[in-house]
Amino acid sequence: MTTVAKRRQAIPAEAFDHGDARRYRRGCTCRPCTDGATAEARRWKYLRDTGRGGMKPASKVIAHIWRLRAAGMTDLEIRTQASISPPHLYQIIREGGEVLHTTAARILGIKIPVASGPSRNGAQVPILGTVRRLQTLNAEGWPCKELDRRLNTGTGYTAYLLRVGSPTVRLSTADNIRHHYGELAHTPPEGHGVAPVNAKQTRARAAAKGWARAAYWDDDDFDNPDFTPAVSDDQLGMHQLGALRRAEIAHLITFNLSHADIAARLGMAENYVRDIAREITTGQRRIRASEGPAAKPYLGAAA
């Protein structure tokens, strides 16, 4: 038995507004459509004459599609607003390269909606930001087993995401991990369902792998492939390193942790933590050795 392939129906002229060259090409010869087709032909000729052609790199278009998906738009909504077919959309995403400038203009012209609630689609998004957030939670002492429980996933799923090497992840999964990262990244896991010994071991394993802690990240950096956090002291200047350490200590002080606990979490000397904590809580700065042996250990903030 021979199966006859179903022929895709052509888009009718009525699907486009008057003045659109696509309506003219489908048989409408009214004045606005004729003028639209003439303007398009002139624009193409100008681009060819100036050596630019009519194609644009697809990278910006693909990035915009990812942002539209991340904001909750379905592929059907994107295709409808851009007036493109399903194969065309997926061809752009898969193959990259170049895209017709008119197609690029229609896609880039779609406004990114305000995200509200869980994602309404099962689209795939780049996994980079999701993996980085999981790595950072590990670096803060949150074991994968505890993350599985809080994310309500199957046992071993977060560990799978960390090692699988897939380029994408479901949007709903990325949203779930982003939400929990905001709640957990600056919360000490000790006393919140994680035994201190497990938290310490998790931090040690993450440090051995070079995974940065939360203080090294701004939220926008997680999804930026061009950003790499400076995770070792030799990658930071003296003042940058001091400011980072001070910020970490200041944050942990708010949880009423002891100086010994903070030092253990950050891998610093307890005396150093005590000195910085005193600066923060009293408003007094300590005098470094370079300022002279006769100097008093602390001066008023106004000194």
Side-chain angles (χ1 to χ4, degrees):
M1 180 177 179
T2 303
T3 302
V4 178
K6 185 177 180 181
R7 186 175 182 181
R8 185 163 58 91
Q9 296 295 319
I11 301 176
E14 291 73 19
F16 305 100
D17 296 330
H18 285 287
D20 192 320
R22 291 170 294 177
R23 187 179 179 107
Y24 173 84
R25 290 195 291 270
R26 285 163 175 79
C28 182
T29 57
C30 70
R31 174 56 61 183
C33 290
T34 302
D35 291 344
T38 301
E40 184 182 78
R42 289 173 176 170
R43 182 167 58 252
W44 275 92
K45 184 177 185 302
Y46 171 76
L47 290 172
R48 290 194 302 271
D49 291 345
T50 54
R52 287 178 286 177
M55 308 299 288
K56 287 189 174 183
S59 56
K60 289 185 178 180
V61 177
I62 295 172
H64 192 67
I65 292 172
W66 287 126
R67 287 192 289 269
L68 293 172
R69 284 174 162 182
M73 286 190 70
T74 64
D75 287 355
L76 174 60
E77 292 170 333
I78 296 172
R79 296 197 310 267
T80 300
Q81 292 196 33
S83 298
I84 59 177
S85 66
H88 194 181
L89 176 66
Y90 302 133
Q91 179 186 20
I92 292 172
I93 295 173
R94 287 194 305 268
E95 298 181 6
E98 293 184 326
V99 62
L100 201 63
H101 78 92
T102 51
T103 302
R106 293 199 302 274
I107 296 175
L108 293 173
I110 302 175
K111 293 183 178 180
I112 300 174
V114 178
S116 59
S119 169
R120 293 179 290 117
N121 62 54
Q124 299 282 321
V125 296
I127 199 173
L128 177 64
T130 298
V131 169
R132 284 175 164 180
R133 288 179 176 90
L134 291 175
Q135 291 174 344
T136 304
L137 289 175
N138 273 190
E140 291 297 326
W142 291 97
C144 288
K145 185 176 181 180
E146 177 65 15
L147 294 177
D148 288 336
R149 185 184 70 82
R150 290 175 176 269
L151 293 167
N152 195 28
T153 64
T155 302
Y157 185 65
T158 54
Y160 165 79
L161 290 178
L162 287 170
R163 70 172 184 270
V164 67
S166 171
T168 60
V169 66
R170 286 179 65 89
L171 179 56
S172 56
T173 301
D175 282 345
N176 192 21
I177 292 173
R178 182 185 295 107
H179 170 74
H180 280 83
Y181 176 85
E183 291 184 343
L184 301 177
H186 302 290
T187 302
E190 296 88 345
H192 291 82
V194 179
V197 64
N198 291 339
K200 183 177 181 180
Q201 291 173 349
T202 302
R203 291 191 194 100
R205 286 193 295 268
K209 295 176 181 178
W211 293 349
R213 301 187 63 165
Y216 291 83
W217 292 98
D218 287 329
D219 195 57
D220 291 340
D221 294 329
F222 284 108
D223 299 290
N224 180 4
D226 297 323
F227 177 82
T228 301
V231 295
S232 63
D233 292 355
D234 58 357
Q235 291 176 276
L236 295 173
M238 180 181 67
H239 297 297
Q240 291 175 303
L241 179 60
L244 178 61
R245 287 174 171 172
R246 185 184 181 92
E248 290 180 319
I249 294 170
H251 175 72
L252 293 175
I253 287 174
T254 62
F255 294 98
N256 296 320
L257 298 176
S258 69
H259 296 153
D261 288 339
I262 295 175
R265 284 200 64 180
L266 300 179
M268 302 175 183
E270 185 177 345
N271 288 340
Y272 178 81
V273 172
R274 183 181 296 109
D275 289 346
I276 297 297
R278 185 179 300 174
E279 286 186 359
I280 295 170
T281 56
T282 66
Q284 295 179 320
R285 68 179 183 88
R286 58 199 172 98
I287 299 299
R288 281 69 171 174
S290 61
E291 297 181 24
K296 294 181 180 181
Y298 294 96
L299 292 176

